[in-house]
Amino acid sequence: MTLAHLPARIAALACRRPWQVLAAAGLVTALALFFVATHFAMTTNADDLISPDVAWRANERKIDAAFPQYGDTIVVVIDGKTAELAEHAAAVLTRSMQADHTHFRSVARPDGGDYFAREGLLFDSEAEVSAATARMIAGQPFLGPLASDPSLRGISTTLAFMMQGVVRGDATLAQVDRPIAALADALETRQAGRPAYFSWATLFGDQKAVTQAPLRRLILARPVLDFESLMPGAAASDAIREQARKLGIGDGVDIRLTGSVPLSDEEFASLADKAWLVGTAMLAAMLGVLWLATRSMCILIAIMTTTMAGLIATMAIGLAAVGRFNLISVAFIPLFVGLGIDFGIQIGVRFQAERRGGRGFADAIDTAVTALGPSLLLAAGAVCLGFLAFLPTAYVGVSELGIIAGLGMIIALLFSLILLPALLMLLRPPAPPAAEASRFLARMDAFVIARRRLVLRWFAISMVASIALLPLVRFDFNPLHLRDPKGEAMAALSDLMRDPDRNPNSIDILVPNLAAARQLSARLGALPEVGRVLTIESFLPTAQPPKLAAIADARMLLDLTLDPIAPLPPPSDDETVAALRQAAVDLDAAAAKSAGLPADHARRLARAFRTLATAPLGQRRRAEAMLTLPLQTMLGQMRASLDAQPVTLADIPPEIAGDWRTEDGRFRVQVLPRNDGGDNATLSRFTAAVRAIVPDAAGVAVSTQEAAHTVAIAFVEAGVLALIVVTLLLLAVLRDLREVAFTLAPVVLSGFLTLATCVLIGQPINFANIIAFPLLLGVGTAFHIYFVMAWRGGATDLLQSSLAHAIFFSALATGMAFGSLWLSSHPGTASMGKILMISLAWTLVCALIFEPALLGPARKPRDAHH
């Protein structure tokens, strides 16, 4: 018995013992399902898609080992309507998270905390420090009453005192116009029922004042991860949101989570989102195409049952072989459904054709499998080898997909040869009615043969045009571009990329000592592509003595002002109302002594105070909260900044120093791009410039560029290897170089046409959709093998044959399976579905038009052992 006769022997055995085959298949499927349920695992970490053994990954591991705190992190991005709101939210949320040891291993503020609150003013220039302390001293007459009574009564009393000075001529209304106008705007907006916020930094009038810090704060947390969950960081992320809710953080503050943990969780969530829609669309498409192909509910049930059983078995074997699925290898599901169902359609359609000719069930199955067996074996082998060609590459994502899909093709063929015939024998579908000859297909057959030179000429033109467009193909291997840009974590990360001080697209370098860090920092800082270079000394203020002298003078004058010995007790509501009314009287009096906008602003604030005085108690409390929370935050910042002390490297807190210095004395140097590092071209120039000086640099910027290079090399290697092994397989079976060329030429053309279409529709090739091309090699080879094998066997009128019928509906079913991925919420998966569908459409065009024209008139059948 030759290998070509093996499929028929297997199918004949299944026909003789259908119940035993069904029982065995059911047992295997049940065991596989149990294994999948108990061993299912999946990683959504894009880092796992590349082999850890490549050089740049080894450099990454050195940095990770030296600073493990940057591994699994949650970055809490806090944006406030005012600097005070942002600072207050960050401070209280940090304290709450630090007390939660159930969900967090460590919590720190990279841009805040006690150290920066106390020493932050020292990081400004000497002139800025002098100006800031001068403004504090100038505001002493107003700071004292506010510090003694930080309430709505205290604010009203302070304003009344200021207005009395204006009436006496000690000051002008224009000098205090900024806070008066801001207060009027805030209160009027609030009284109109709209959200309003107030910043006391306006009291000092300088946008660079110490009290006017940026409106964004960050919290860096290392969560306790639940690796038994598909989203290990979900509990920690939920804890952050719940703590923010309990703390009353919300009005005027926007909290978003990003970092490696939320990004990974969000990745899985986007994959899971619409999974039901993708699955439903895939199933509906399968059922519809199978019905159109076979016109038999019994055959439809038999093919779907065979496909689902094979899929479950493939999932089990895949998990046993690679341990877990990744973002790429999980695509074996639609691949198996699309490719595996091809075998079922080929057998089912040919079975129907034989039944239409009057054959019995067993005889029809035997004849169908005998005729198709060699083609099915060769097609399955070609697809399998096409995927297994990725095994030697460093692109682990597709390498693991190759293992699973390659094994899946063997399983698909076995189930189609064993389970499908047994089900057909048991279900006994009724004989189909006689088919009417298609005049259109007859004319197409005649046209393709009679005008084959014209057809070949058009396809040659298409080939040349496609090759001409190849330089315009856009490759985008940035893994971040595979994520949903509207997701919270990705949107927050994109926002941070636009911040030059917080751009995550950094480069990290490990140096042996501080002197080396200084020297390297100076060299890298001179590069035009570099925006900033950070070392541990970046957290050490420069020119401290004159700054400390200015701060000490201010502290001596403001100590009792900011820390009154006897602060007033909280006021009663009657006292607050009285203070509001008195302030309104004094504001009107000051306005009467002035003119222009300052007078108008004073009158507006007087009206707002009177309205507030007569309003319900709840409105006064809300207005007080709006004004006093930022006031207390500002006063606290002032007190802390006036406590600044001399700082040396030894004084940098361990939670900061530990991010830049290892216990064995090595130091980290971090380099940030000058421009938007999220742009691929900018990122490439930045990375190249830094690595020209430090070849073993690591970090996000390096990994993004190197991952693109690794993937590109992997596909070149795998493409060449796949072409070689498939060619050798075809040569071994067909034993005719011309027929091998007939089989592979349309595959090459469909690949070029797919790339040209990507150029025309503006679709870049990325980490995910690039797998369309090895798939294209496998599927295309399979379809063309069917025609070549039939042609060398003497078949005529190929387009009218049941083979063409089966290929058309097989391609349609496969296209529907892949196209359903287009509905996914995950951009990478959706682009994969798009490219797969495009490539399959061109494969079908090449198979049904170019292949028959290339083959030409029927030839005499070959001897069986050829």
Side-chain angles (χ1 to χ4, degrees), residues 84 132-151 154-155 157-159 161-162 176 200-204 210-211 554-555 557-564 567-568 630-639 641-642:
E84 295 95 329
T133 53
R135 285 190 295 272
M136 292 185 198
I137 294 169
Q140 185 177 24
F142 315 118
L143 289 173
L146 291 173
S148 296
D149 186 10
S151 66
I155 295 168
T157 302
T158 301
L159 278 171
F161 175 72
M162 292 165 62
V176 291
W200 283 94
T202 57
L203 181 65
F204 294 90
V210 67
T211 53
R555 181 172 61 245
L557 293 172
L558 295 172
D559 190 18
L560 291 178
T561 300
L562 294 174
D563 287 300
L568 295 176
L631 173 61
Q632 291 168 347
T633 301
M634 181 199 71
L635 293 171
Q637 289 175 315
M638 283 187 172
R639 294 184 187 108
S641 66
L642 294 180

Side-chain angles (χ1 to χ4, degrees), residues 11 14-15 18 21-22 294 296-306 343-352 355 360-362 364-366 368-369 415-430:
C15 290
V21 168
L22 183 61
T294 63
S296 169
M297 186 59 67
C298 293
I299 298 178
L300 183 152
I301 292 172
I303 293 175
M304 287 301 296
T305 302
T306 302
F343 301 143
I345 290 178
Q346 292 292 335
I347 294 172
V349 169
R350 186 59 180 262
F351 168 79
Q352 283 287 73
R355 288 281 290 143
F361 292 105
I365 293 172
D366 179 68
V369 176
F415 273 66
S416 297
L417 294 176
I418 300 172
L419 180 57
L420 181 57
L423 289 172
L424 291 176
M425 289 298 296
L426 294 174
L427 293 173
R428 307 184 75 80

Side-chain angles (χ1 to χ4, degrees), residues 582-714:
Q582 182 59 51
V585 171
D586 291 331
L587 281 162
D588 281 337
K593 292 278 187 177
S594 306
L597 280 178
D600 292 340
H601 294 156
R603 293 188 186 96
R604 286 174 51 213
L605 184 56
R607 285 195 298 271
F609 275 0
R610 288 193 181 93
T611 301
L612 194 58
T614 58
L617 174 60
Q619 289 189 25
R620 278 191 295 279
R621 286 180 174 171
R622 287 190 290 274
E624 183 169 51
M626 176 183 70
L627 299 176
T628 59
L629 188 147
L631 173 61
Q632 291 168 347
T633 301
M634 181 199 71
L635 293 171
Q637 289 175 315
M638 283 187 172
R639 294 184 187 108
S641 66
L642 294 180
D643 282 338
Q645 301 295 323
V647 181
T648 66
L649 281 178
D651 298 316
I652 297 177
E655 62 269 18
I656 296 176
D659 291 340
W660 301 93
R661 181 179 57 209
T662 65
E663 292 183 359
D664 61 5
R666 291 175 297 163
F667 288 81
R668 179 167 73 108
V669 177
Q670 185 176 76
V671 194
L672 299 173
R674 179 173 298 278
N675 298 312
D676 180 14
D679 174 71
N680 284 339
T682 301
L683 199 59
S684 179
R685 289 192 297 270
F686 166 64
T687 304
V690 174
R691 295 186 77 195
I693 296 175
V694 191
D696 62 347
V700 174
V702 173
S703 62
T704 300
Q705 299 301 308
E706 285 292 343
H709 180 260
T710 301
V711 171
I713 292 298

